Amino acid sequence: MAADLEAEVPAIDKSLLECSAEAAAAKWLQATDLPKEVYQHLTYYVPRIYCNGPNPAPQREDMLAQHVLLGPMEWYLCGEDPAFGFPKLEQANKPSHLCGRVFKVGEPTYSCRDCAVDPTCVLCMECFLGSIHKEHRYRMTTSGGGGFCDCGDTEAWKEGPYCKKHELNTSQTAEEEDPLVHLSEDMIARAYNIFSIMFQYAVDILTWEKENELPPGLEMVEKSDTYYCMLFNDEVHTYEQVIYTLQKAVNCTQKEAIFFATTVDRDGRRSVRYGDFQYCDQAKSVIVRNTSRQTKPLKVQVMHSCIVAHQSFGLKLLTWLGNVIGYSDGLRRILCQVGLQEGPDGENSSLVDKLMLSDSKLWKGARSVYHQLFMSSLLMDLKYKKLFAIRFARNYRQLQRDFMEDDHERAVSVTALSVQLFTVPTLARMLITEENLMTTIIKTFVDHLRHRDIQGRFQFERYTALQAFKFRRVQSLISDLKYVLISKPADWSDDLRQKFLEGFDAFLELLKCMQGMDPITRQVGQHIEMEPEWEAAFTLQMKLTLVISMMQDWCALDEKVLIEAYKKCLSVLMHCHSGFADGEQPIMLNMCGHSVETIRYCVSQEKVSIHLPVSRLLAGLHVLLSKSEVAYKFPELLPLSELSPPMLIEHPLRCLVLCAQVHAGMWRRNGFSLVNQIYYYHNVKCRREMFDKDIVMLQTGVSMMDPNHFLMIMLSRFELYQIFSTPDYGKRFSTENTNKDVVQQNNTLIEEMLYLIIMIVGERFSPGIGQVSPTDEIKREIIHQLSIRPMAHSELVKALREDENRETGMESVIEEVACFKKPGLTGRGLYELKPECTKDFNLYFYHFSRAEQSKAEEAQRKLKRQNREDTALPPPVLPPFCPLFASLINILQCDVMLCIMGTILQWAVEHNGYAWSESMLQRVLHLIGMALQEEKQHLENLNEENIVTFTYTQKISRPGEAPSSSPSILAMLETLQNAPHLEVHKDMIRWILKTFNTIKKLRESSSTSPVAETEENIMEESSRDKDKAERKRKAEIARLRREKIMAQMSEMQRHFIDENKELFQQTLEELDTSSSKVPDISPTVSDTKLTALGPEQTRVTEKRQVVTCILCQEEEEVKVDSRAMVLAAFVQRSTVLSKNRNKIIQDPEKYDPLFMHPDLSCGTHTGSCGHIMHAHCWQRYFDAVQAKEQRRQQRLRVHTSYDVENGEFLCPLCECLSNTVIPLLPPPRALFNRLDFAGQPNLTHWIRTVSQQIRTFYLLQDEESASSNCCGNSEKMDQLQLPEGFRPDFQPKNPYSESIREMLTTFATATYKVGLKVHPNEEDPRVPIMCWGSCAYTIQTIERILADEDKPLFGHLPCRQDDCLTSLTRFAAAHWTVASLSAVQGHFCTLLASLVPNEKHGNLPCILDIDMLHLLVSLVLSFPAIHCQDFSGVSLATGDLHLFHLVTMAHIVQILLTSSTEENGMDQENSNSEEELAVLALHKFLCQCTGSALKEISSGWHLWRSIKAGIMPFLRCSAMFFHYLNGVPAPPEIKVNGANQFEHLCSYLSLPSNLICLFQENNKIMNTLVESWCSNSEVKRYLEGKRPAISYARDSNKLIDLPDDYSCLINQASNFSCPKSGGDKSRAPTLCLVCGTMLCSQSYCCQTELDGEDVGACTAHTYLCGSGVGIFLRVRECQVLFLAGKTKGCFYAPPYLDDYGETDQGLRRGNPLHLCKERFKKIQKLWQQHSITEEIGHAQEANQTLVGIDWQHL
Ligand SMILES: [Zn+2]
Ligand SMILES: [Zn+2]
Ligand SMILES: [Zn+2]
Ligand SMILES: [Zn+2]
Ligand SMILES: [Zn+2]
Ligand SMILES: [Zn+2]
Ligand SMILES: [Zn+2]
């Protein structure tokens, strides 16, 4: 089998090519029995074209099929050459004005939130951009595939149905024109003939179920016996299982198995074996056997190759039909006609029916092909769309049944087409009235939920996995119901009424099965053993919530329907509760002279259910009666007399009591399932049709009954009746009963009950209950959300209810209640509540959770204090009730209520025991406040005719009647005002008393003057009050000031820590080391010119440096001979500066890093967090980490964010990822510098001396090797004259302490290991090179960052980088002392030879191919190895200076050779300065040296300018290098951005500001050297244009440019197909932000092998593009992905924000997204700073789940 994939395709049968399409068509045109003729053709040719061999050859097959099979059909159809025929058809066509573009997976789609009829109406990108909606509020999503553009569908859009492109077509065509008029009779007949034959053929063969036999008419005469073993897709088995099984069954490699598996997953089937029957059958049985263990086995069939061939062609044919009808709407109509024509078998025998009904039997690929054909034919023709919709509705039950048995996703099921049909308002209406669709859907749904209890209610308790799976699938039916209901009828026909009510009946039956389901009983004694299943019931409730709301919306539209629905609902409810009083004994309750009969029922003892959809629906309809005023208009038609308020309230009340008891801790033993249910009951997803409606039902009940009776029943259900009905029960209760828990429980229950009363009275913001508009309701929700704290748009949206159109209605009102605050660089935009809206704040808002309530209370009180107001939070003024509910207000002033209030106030006055709580009092005060507000409102709105019946103030002024003879409520309030233990509530009590007085005045004045006295007047009356207020105000001011200072301080801290981590660390460090740091400029040098190197170098006396170890907190001075101190450091390979991303180190073992190419393609970066430790402390720490990790990994097999085996650890202080440490050293140069400055040689002289020394060195080396080989060759030795003062035998003593030497080796080895990705080997001669390289590279990266941000060189570097560079440079300078002296000497010689050639080195890179900074650093840092043997009195500093000058000159030549300076007309400054003349001369000389290959340039100005620009980065880097090496402070001029930077730099670097002088001063030797550089053959090749070279200055690398509009990226990604699986759409297209490559991530198809492991496309790419580090944008998710190595990764916020300043990770909200440049810059900076790995480390430490993700598979 292994060879199968590569098996050669058999040669094409010549006879096939000779077949003439025209001739065949001609024959068909003559034929009498056309079908027979065509079938013969197919029988003969199809098996010859398709399926010849084990693997399909799609291109060849397509080519032949077009030629031999489709060609004749096209000829036949057109009656002429189709090359002419089709264009003619197209021209004659009057195309439909529908766009109908079918979406690809991942393609962006747009929906207008203002104009779309429902959210399923979408536009393609092209139509959207040409439509009016792009100026509207729109939503953008990515398509899941399937579905098409609704542009041009007038039913889909309230406005602007056409885009510019499709608008053109509308003017020409009259709406209902028959498209056939544009076709000739002949054409119609031919199309009809060929379409019916071919469509029939395709349907027959695709639905053919026999494996070894062909349909009639297609039987082969000579039957070749080849078979396929066909593997089918299912959603049960995983990729891994399939791959594993295939490897076993057909003996293929893993790679092939993966290929098969991906194809099966994509197309739905794939042959895995080809051969004779037995051979295939054998594979089949292995597969079946291997996969049958877990679940049902994989589907495998052994099929005759001819069948497979015909099926392949059948699919091709359907696609062909889809293409052909694209030429003409007439052809499309004919095809529709053919498809829907009833066949010989009557009902359901049309081709379309046949296909639909076999849908679940077809494989994925076949389904999607015919679905596509349906979409481009039936759904695009308005007439046939309707007929198709009818077929679909009639088959609905069967289709759903098939779907339920099928295991494929819904997206590939024909049932998914429902959205295309049911959302069209006219179709939906027609299907409801003519096909009774609503009832069909609901009944089908109910049919599929079979598990019921004895009362016929749904039972999910004992659901098996399979049932749970079906339950998930059946939920799509609810979506269908939603589609049908989504557009509401404007006018009703009797038919519609009747069919809707029929559907409503069915719906009530469904709700009836839910009423009372999942009942629960309180668990006492023991905790429940198993959490009961509750999710299914809630899922159902949640899914149905919108449908229930929509049902009510429909009812609201027609009075007749509403009345009927109300009656039906009531009767079902009564039926549900027919056994209402059974077994529940009636009892009599008496209180305050009132009595009522109820039943004995305790929530805490008997069964109770949260699911009461019938009651709640009735509550909703009741509100509609009020809202539509039907209740007043037709009272006689309503069964109002049948209503029994106690029956109505019973179950909702029980449910609310259950919540209260749960809150009081009485149901603890029932476990989390109950807690969850209570949570969802109140949650925004469910509450509208659960909690809210229960409140409405109670309001309905109260408004229809005596409030005293209501309250008594309520007390009884809360099990509090005893407490309030027995005088002095409270007292007894608190003294006798010592059970604290029970007292506490009762307290909570009382609080809850009071809260419930507050809600019943206060929640009147739904139209129909209170006199409000719908916007008032949403405004109130927003006000209360924002009372908690300012919120982002998405947070608000989440807290608000979405309607069926996914709208919250928020945008229309938000401006009125809130102000928007834009986001900064992090965080998001926030809405803040407008101050004038706080007066509407209600502390007991019913949608607050407990936590939200207390947060809101705190926030509001704080706000009041800030505004210097009292802190009372009185109830807001409420809108009046609608008449139907008006009487419920009396609950506040009824006797039982007054009794409850009085009792609780009495307890508060007595203040004894714990039978009383402050929140209880607070709620009573709130209720009193509500009553007062109500009375005040009544008085203020007093009309002539009505009298105020609400007389609360009078009632609370009366003392209690005998026997209790308690004081009046008012009196008790006055007492409480001065109670010391009620300080918190004082403001509220004061407010109550004040309002009471206002009302009294109002009442008194209402008869005489209508003007009410304002509150201020009352304030002024009492001067005592005023005094007190003044004192209070002052205290308040003082407190506020304190608070403000505290806030500022904490704000500052937060700012430091959060926003500016770097700075924070810096400050920490400053604190750490402030005592020891040397100030940058010591006073002794401040007035002299500062010079960084050379004999003129400014002398600085380095002060003692004492640092503290972060681990042991001990101090230590940094000295050569003390214990080593180290910085935590992270070394990584880097391509950040790379100019050639394709270059990677092929064989690291052989790679020679001595010369860095100027493309900087693979550098080694060192970073550090700057935290200092003792080397031995660190060693101990690291050993401990290592030991711990090993234990942990053995035990738990968990990963960590760092890889201990690779030497990684986290900095013990800041948890920064590190993998080695750098030793801290004193300036190393001082140790070797001899202080003799007399008579230093000039450059020429120096080069001569050094060359001599080098020659000696080589001779000695040869000598050595010779002597070790055989006998000594002392002759040469004698000839050799040692240069003066050169002592090659001198071995310098290492000045460093043992521990420092060890650390030098440690860091060097780490750099070598990471930089080259090799095993550590401290002996390798490349170790020192890697150290120098890392020093040079790190300096370069930092220079680039500073330059990009336009920052000066020094003074702006964060401390950690400054420390890092100091240590790194000093380390690199000291490293040679622990390396092999001769190796370093050898490196120096080779390096120098690249500029000063000698005979020993022939093959060095030419100067175009050397990065000069790397060369400089390596030369300077290796030079001491030679110099230490030189005792002639030449200073090391002299060497540094000459080396620097030499490299600088080389760089100038490099720049001149590669500069692309064009002489243009902008030569403005014709000054002919000294520099310009000099550079012209030099350029001329270069031209000579290159044999005039270098173009001559006459503008010195241009040349000088390009040298200055080109050399600047090098000079800046050099300045940093020498600064860190020698410790000479930078002159103040280069610490700021100012003029003459160049001159200042030159001066600091001991360079003449006319750089060309360097050449002139040393022209003797330089002419020779320059000549030698230019004569290199590579230079020649470059100048001849035969090879490229880097030119200067090199641009900084940036991340790619991103488009402003995110949908551009989505579109780009949707056009991207997987590069490996032939044109298939990638599922997770991911964009590399470094190089712009699009990758097919997280998918088997694009996995590759990396170091023996399979990795995803992203990980593989990071190794090519970023040496293991990568920054990607996951386009579908709108998420940035950071990867480092194979195991590290994290997600990062994308740089795209919506208009509300928020990101949308996962593209869930769909608001338009635009690029935020600042945030993108931030990501870019992370990359440039090499902080990606660090960022991942921090993210993983913060969120452990990130560690477990298999990043390498992305
Ligand atoms: Zn479109
Ligand atoms: Zn359009
Ligand atoms: Zn619009
Ligand atoms: Zn220490
Ligand atoms: Zn640290
Ligand atoms: Zn792929
Ligand atoms: Zn890349």
Side-chain angles (χ1 to χ4, degrees), residues 587-598 708-709 711-713 715-716 721-722 724-727 896 899:
I587 50 162
M588 197 58 119
L589 305 173
N590 295 298
M591 237 178 120
C592 308
H594 301 273
S595 59
V596 66
E597 196 188 75
T598 180
N708 290 302
H709 294 171
L711 283 173
M712 280 189 282
I713 293 175
L715 280 170
S716 157
Y721 175 68
Q722 288 293 318
F724 286 95
S725 63
T726 323
V896 176
C899 166

Side-chain angles (χ1 to χ4, degrees), residues 97-100 123-124 126-128 130-131 149-152 161-167:
H97 43 261
L98 291 173
C99 170
L123 293 175
C124 65
E126 196 188 333
C127 288
F128 173 74
S131 75
C149 174
D150 290 310
C151 183
Y162 308 103
C163 70
K164 281 194 198 110
K165 183 178 148 200
H166 293 108
E167 195 166 30

Side-chain angles (χ1 to χ4, degrees), residues 1065 1069 1110 1128 1168-1172 1210-1216 1218:
Q1065 278 163 0
E1069 279 153 33
I1110 56 165
S1168 166
C1169 63
H1171 291 134
I1172 303 169
L1210 300 180
C1211 164
L1213 189 64
C1214 67
E1215 300 206 313
C1216 192
S1218 312

Side-chain angles (χ1 to χ4, degrees), residues 874-1108:
V877 176
L878 297 171
F881 276 115
C882 291
L884 194 61
F885 288 90
S887 67
L888 93 76
I889 195 66
N890 290 321
I891 194 174
L892 285 174
Q893 55 168 354
C894 72
D895 297 334
V896 176
M897 188 72 240
L898 291 169
C899 166
I900 294 171
M901 287 175 174
T903 311
I904 291 168
L905 287 175
Q906 185 69 40
W907 292 344
V909 171
E910 286 160 8
H911 183 50
N912 58 354
Y914 19 72
W916 171 79
S917 76
E918 276 196 36
S919 14
M920 213 185 273
L921 175 69
Q922 199 185 0
R923 283 158 210 222
V924 168
L925 293 178
H926 194 86
L927 275 168
I928 295 173
M930 287 175 84
L932 292 175
Q933 291 280 40
E934 198 68 36
E935 189 168 343
K936 197 166 147 221
Q937 285 293 103
H938 278 234
L939 285 169
E940 278 166 0
N941 301 328
L942 197 62
N943 297 349
E944 297 291 297
E945 56 262 45
N946 53 13
I947 40 159
V948 175
T949 52
F950 199 80
T951 55
Y952 187 69
T953 46
Q954 286 167 19
K955 288 184 177 155
I956 61 170
S957 319
R958 278 201 305 265
E961 288 151 28
S964 66
S965 70
S966 53
S968 74
I969 286 176
L970 188 66
M972 283 194 280
L973 285 171
E974 275 161 350
T975 320
L976 286 174
Q977 190 183 12
N978 298 315
H981 62 279
L982 293 176
E983 196 58 45
V984 212
H985 304 291
K986 228 162 232 178
D987 282 344
M988 183 63 189
I989 299 174
R990 258 168 45 82
W991 178 88
I992 289 177
L993 294 175
K994 211 170 64 195
T995 314
F996 181 85
N997 284 332
T998 317
I999 293 171
K1000 225 165 87 185
K1001 287 226 147 64
L1002 264 176
R1003 276 206 185 275
E1004 282 158 12
S1005 62
S1006 60
S1007 45
T1008 52
S1009 85
V1011 184
E1013 268 179 286
T1014 57
E1015 291 180 8
E1016 276 87 340
N1017 293 342
I1018 303 161
M1019 274 296 272
E1020 270 164 14
E1021 276 181 3
S1022 149
S1023 62
R1024 196 179 55 116
D1025 270 10
K1026 207 175 158 194
D1027 239 27
K1028 219 169 137 192
E1030 181 60 16
R1031 245 182 295 137
K1032 204 170 165 187
R1033 198 178 64 84
K1034 279 187 180 155
E1036 191 65 7
I1037 291 172
R1039 202 186 48 74
L1040 277 174
R1041 197 181 299 132
R1042 268 199 317 276
E1043 247 179 23
K1044 198 173 163 194
I1045 294 169
M1046 292 303 286
Q1048 268 173 355
M1049 281 175 65
S1050 75
E1051 173 63 19
M1052 271 159 67
Q1053 277 171 4
R1054 198 186 55 78
H1055 183 74
F1056 265 93
I1057 298 165
D1058 285 355
E1059 306 277 305
N1060 217 337
K1061 246 182 183 164
E1062 220 160 60
L1063 216 68
F1064 175 62
Q1065 278 163 0
Q1066 197 176 328
T1067 5
L1068 261 188
E1069 279 153 33
E1070 273 163 11
L1071 288 173
D1072 279 348
T1073 55
S1074 56
S1075 56
S1076 61
K1077 275 265 160 150
V1078 188
D1080 256 358
I1081 304 170
S1082 47
T1084 49
V1085 292
S1086 60
D1087 47 347
T1088 51
K1089 200 186 91 175
L1090 293 162
T1091 307
L1093 78 160
E1096 310 288 311
Q1097 182 196 321
T1098 313
R1099 297 281 137 210
V1100 279
T1101 35
E1102 185 96 354
K1103 290 219 175 105
R1104 287 177 65 228
Q1105 196 191 353
V1106 180
V1107 293
T1108 314

Side-chain angles (χ1 to χ4, degrees), residues 140 178 269 314 362 385 465 468 646 796 823 833 854 1075 1130 1145 1244 1369 1410 1462 1513 1571 1575:
M140 169 197 76
D178 187 346
R269 69 176 200 183
L362 292 177
K385 191 175 185 176
L796 266 179
L833 188 64
S854 69
S1075 56
F1130 186 72
I1145 300 176
T1244 317
T1369 313
I1410 300 172
E1462 293 290 310
E1571 240 171 296
S1575 59

